[in-house]
Amino acid sequence: MTSYDTSRTGRPEPLQDGALWRRSLRIPMRDGIHLAADLYSASPEPQATALPVLLERTPYGRREQRGSDQDRSDAPVPRPEDIARHFTEARYHVVRQDCRGRGDSEGTFVKYLGEGLDGADTIAWLRNQPWCDGRVVMTGVSYSAHVQAAAAAEGVKGLAAMFQDSGGFSSAYDAGMRMGGAFELKQVTWALRHAVRSPEAAADPVLSEALLRVDVTGWFGAMPWRPGCTPLRHLSAYEDFLLEQWRQDTFGDYYRNPAIYGRGFYERFPDAPSLHMGSWYDPYVRSTIENFTTLRELKSAPSYLVMGPWTHGHRCETYAADVDFGPRATLDGNLAPSYLEFRRRWFDRALGREDEGNPESGDLAAVQYFLMGGGDGRRDAAGRMRHGGAWRTDTQWPPASTAPVALYLTTDGALTLAPPAEAAASVTYDFDPRHPVPTMGGQVTSGEPVMTGGAYDQNAPDARVYGAREPYLPLDSRPDVISLTTPPLERDVVLAGPVSARLHISTTAPDTDFTIKMIDVHPPNPDYPHGFAMNLTDGIVRCRFHRSYEKPELLTPGEVYEIEVTAPDTANRFAAGHRIRLDISSSNFPRFDVNTNTDEPEAAARRTAIAANTVHMDAQHPSHLRVWLEGGADALA
């Protein structure tokens, strides 16, 4: 479409006493489907002034008031028109669009996979309107960040800048849909939550009531599910895409779709400024960091990274679950007066508009990250542990002051700089899929009511933790958890960067999983006489993918294999007197689906088996944790 088509545009509607005007749009896609959108402008005749267009595409309702993908925030949540006015007053037009099959848009919703083409078609249409100066910039949180990367991977022209907050897949197989080959069950809880808000449910009160009455926790105890026997059985479109996600366990064409595999299409991304914002308790840490580092290397336009200590999208909160990071933790009041102002300033810089009455003070650092830690470890008035922290800047990630360090595992439960010298040493435990280790915080979102993200005391599970049982003993008391720690640290140790464990393992099963969790162990104090074991990051590997995620191979029982379990990056100050701890096990449920220890895929298995899993820790099999420490190995010497 090459001209302003009034047949696709509604009449102007005044908002906020005429300070803002809204028009309804119907934007055509290449297959004939039309997507609903709103155009916000500062005047009733937007075509009179060609300006950059700020585009946000959402599956959550273009006129809905949302704090984040988790639908909760203690901070005031601005309305879409309030957000729009902030940008129209700064000389932008704003477009908010319902994704296909959501809100008022036509078509059938299929999560993620069609967003690239729809985004590209939308940008092309916008650029041809007389009120657009040819430049479209994209913004948005979570799914609205995923759709930005999806459009960019199509090689779209005219995308002048991207502000990706808490999303944008580098590879959904590695983070967001799967990790280490295991399925992320937040996809299940997300589908259940948003099925209730689907156009189909809105049009059918019986279907709506059926979905509202779903016993989510009960269904999680009845996995695996079969077609027609799931809590989504009455909404086939949602059941179909969810089960298809679950069945797609190998890395193949399904995961090479540009919409969820930026890694394969970075060359097609526009050479435009990009900002990648995430948080240490967000599911998309890996994607956020990879998008930043790769685009920075490939493109001439600048890329920026911002990492806070929050859960998914909660940049205005000082805490993540049961841990508080202090007043410096928020974006608002620290990195900028507000999130809106932070975005507006960044877009002005990205478009070279500082000279248009929007001056900037100083240069924006390539990397801004929150280093957790340094607090007194006591309980605050809200009942949270004061862990503290501070913002830092750098020119790269991992920070230039850090270097990789190997900490070796020993059978007496130690983490040490010295490689093992024993000829034979190992630890074996029984892993029973019917009694998995419960998820207790971490990089989780949209998991309610069965899981929540953030930092929790791993010493003190309680009734909030799905699968935890009385008497609620510490997680490391379980016989299927290997817990290893350093001695109490003599001085502060700063960790900032990737986390992984190279494990030498064997098992009695044809397939099994291994998990890792890194923890900051606070010493006891009057508020926490048992100490506080604060989870930082965790990962998982499904062992049939020990050679390749494309061609799984079952294990030979008793044979020793070398595997690498990767956890998302983190940044934490381990204060003097604290310990660095690594927990190893074989399950983390319900964050990930549970390996049955058989040769049957998890999405369809009907039986389970107990596996005897072994981690070898001797001279020939030096299992170790790999972390990036400020000062390298000297930090622990």
Side-chain angles (χ1 to χ4, degrees):
M1 189 165 298
T2 58
S3 62
Y4 187 59
D5 185 350
T6 57
S7 69
R8 306 291 186 201
T9 307
R11 293 182 179 276
E13 174 188 2
L15 302 173
Q16 301 187 353
D17 297 324
L20 183 70
W21 293 79
R22 180 172 64 197
R23 290 173 177 260
S24 298
L25 306 177
R26 294 179 66 245
I27 301 178
M29 301 294 104
R30 65 189 66 187
D31 62 354
I33 291 293
H34 290 82
L35 303 187
D38 289 328
L39 166 64
Y40 294 91
S41 56
S43 76
E45 299 297 333
Q47 65 270 29
T49 308
L51 297 172
V53 174
L54 179 75
L55 170 64
E56 180 173 358
R57 306 187 62 244
T58 177
Y60 302 123
R62 69 189 191 280
R63 297 185 182 180
E64 294 296 317
Q65 186 175 1
R66 295 182 52 80
S68 80
D69 192 48
Q70 288 181 309
D71 287 333
R72 66 165 184 82
S73 177
D74 293 339
V77 179
R79 297 171 298 173
E81 52 267 36
D82 296 328
I83 298 170
R85 183 175 174 180
H86 186 87
F87 286 96
T88 59
E89 289 181 344
R91 293 179 52 79
Y92 292 85
H93 295 311
V94 176
V95 172
R96 290 176 58 89
Q97 182 187 59
D98 288 329
C99 290
R100 180 182 295 249
R102 299 289 295 178
D104 296 322
S105 287
E106 299 171 355
T108 300
F109 178 73
V110 177
K111 194 176 184 185
Y112 302 139
L113 301 183
E115 302 297 356
L117 295 178
D118 285 352
D121 289 352
T122 298
I123 292 169
W125 187 89
L126 292 174
R127 292 185 70 215
N128 283 324
Q129 305 312 305
W131 35 267
C132 178
D133 69 1
R135 296 178 294 178
V136 176
V137 299
M138 295 189 77
T139 189
V141 181
S142 191
Y143 201 100
S144 295
H146 299 327
V147 301
Q148 296 179 54
E154 294 295 333
V156 64
K157 295 181 179 179
L159 181 52
M162 293 185 294
F163 191 111
Q164 296 181 343
D165 185 347
S166 307
F169 289 117
S170 60
S171 172
Y173 190 86
D174 287 348
M177 291 172 69
R178 288 189 174 268
M179 181 185 291
F183 187 54
E184 295 196 41
L185 292 175
K186 73 179 182 65
Q187 294 294 341
V188 174
T189 45
W190 189 97
L192 291 169
R193 173 178 301 176
H194 292 289
V196 176
R197 303 172 183 175
S198 66
E200 294 90 340
D204 185 344
V206 175
L207 172 62
S208 177
E209 187 64 22
L211 293 170
L212 286 170
R213 294 191 183 192
V214 167
D215 179 359
V216 178
T217 57
W219 276 101
F220 263 69
M223 291 179 177
W225 299 337
R226 302 179 301 281
C229 190
T230 79
L232 291 167
R233 67 176 80 187
H234 301 300
L235 186 54
S236 60
Y238 280 63
E239 182 183 74
D240 289 347
F241 81 66
L242 175 62
L243 293 181
E244 181 65 10
Q245 284 181 339
W246 206 335
R247 284 191 293 262
Q248 293 285 350
D249 62 340
T250 61
F251 181 73
D253 290 344
Y254 182 88
Y255 290 103
R256 291 190 178 93
N257 184 314
I260 57 174
Y261 188 49
R263 183 183 299 160
F265 301 91
Y266 282 130
E267 293 287 350
R268 300 198 328 202
F269 277 49
D271 193 354
S274 58
L275 188 144
H276 309 272
M277 179 178 289
S279 41
W280 300 129
Y281 293 99
D282 183 90
Y284 306 108
V285 172
R286 285 185 184 176
S287 284
T288 300
I289 291 174
E290 182 178 346
N291 288 338
F292 160 72
T293 55
T294 305
L295 292 176
R296 188 179 184 219
E297 293 172 359
L298 288 180
K299 309 297 181 180
S300 60
S303 293
Y304 302 92
L305 177 68
V306 178
M307 295 297 297
W310 321 296
T311 53
H312 186 67
H314 290 286
R315 68 198 76 78
C316 297
E317 294 176 351
T318 64
Y319 60 89
D322 284 352
V323 173
D324 192 272
F325 302 102
R328 292 181 291 181
T330 58
L331 185 151
D332 290 23
N334 290 291
L335 301 188
S338 70
Y339 179 56
L340 278 174
E341 186 69 6
F342 185 85
R343 282 191 292 169
R344 198 272 303 162
R345 288 180 181 179
W346 186 82
F347 278 121
D348 283 349
R349 176 189 286 111
L351 296 180
R353 305 175 85 200
E354 295 96 329
D355 296 332
E356 297 181 17
N358 299 313
E360 284 294 321
S361 57
D363 294 328
L364 181 66
V367 175
Q368 299 180 83
Y369 70 98
F370 192 86
L371 179 68
M372 301 179 288
D376 63 10
R378 300 299 296 272
R379 191 188 305 271
D380 67 11
R384 298 185 177 94
M385 189 271 287
R386 295 193 294 249
H387 189 63
W391 286 98
R392 285 187 166 192
T393 61
D394 213 288
T395 59
Q396 65 182 55
W397 188 264
S401 59
T402 64
V405 176
L407 296 175
Y408 293 92
L409 285 53
T410 71
T411 55
D412 60 357
L415 291 173
T416 175
L417 291 171
E422 296 91 338
S426 63
V427 175
T428 301
Y429 59 88
D430 286 343
F431 161 43
D432 185 349
R434 296 169 298 179
H435 302 291
V437 177
T439 296
M440 197 169 179
Q443 290 111 346
V444 174
T445 188
S446 301
E448 292 79 5
V450 294
M451 54 183 162
T452 57
Y456 290 90
D457 183 3
Q458 307 297 297
N459 291 331
D462 55 36
R464 297 175 298 172
V465 179
Y466 181 89
R469 302 175 181 178
E470 293 183 350
Y472 301 123
L473 298 178
L475 291 189
D476 63 354
S477 71
R478 291 177 57 109
D480 57 354
V481 174
I482 303 173
S483 194
L484 310 109
T485 65
T486 64
L489 300 172
E490 295 182 1
R491 56 183 178 273
D492 289 5
V493 172
V494 170
L495 180 154
V499 175
S500 63
R502 183 63 61 89
L503 304 179
H504 298 261
I505 62 93
S506 59
T507 180
T508 59
D511 186 30
T512 194
D513 289 351
F514 282 88
T515 63
I516 64 170
K517 182 185 296 179
M518 194 172 70
I519 295 167
D520 181 347
V521 180
H522 286 242
N525 64 45
D527 293 327
Y528 301 99
H530 57 273
F532 195 106
M534 173 184 157
N535 57 300
L536 294 169
T537 186
D538 55 78
I540 188 169
V541 158
R542 189 142 288 167
C543 287
R544 65 177 179 268
F545 302 110
H546 63 282
R547 295 188 193 277
S548 167
Y549 287 113
E550 298 180 53
K551 298 178 180 179
E553 298 178 20
L554 295 177
L555 306 180
T556 300
E559 184 173 329
V560 179
Y561 298 86
E562 186 176 2
I563 64 172
E564 184 162 14
V565 191
T566 302
D569 298 38
T570 191
N572 185 68
R573 179 187 298 276
F574 294 83
H578 291 215
R579 298 172 184 257
I580 301 172
R581 175 171 134 192
L582 174 70
D583 282 2
I584 299 172
S585 191
S586 291
S587 54
N588 183 354
F589 180 78
R591 181 177 180 188
F592 302 108
D593 64 345
V594 180
N595 198 313
T596 62
N597 297 331
T598 69
D599 57 1
E600 297 181 0
E602 292 74 20
R606 289 180 175 269
R607 60 190 180 90
T608 63
I610 296 175
N613 288 346
T614 300
V615 179
H616 300 267
M617 310 174 184
D618 52 53
Q620 188 177 355
H621 306 105
S623 296
H624 60 274
L625 171 69
R626 180 181 167 92
V627 292
W628 289 68
L629 301 182
E630 192 170 86
D634 290 343
L636 294 172

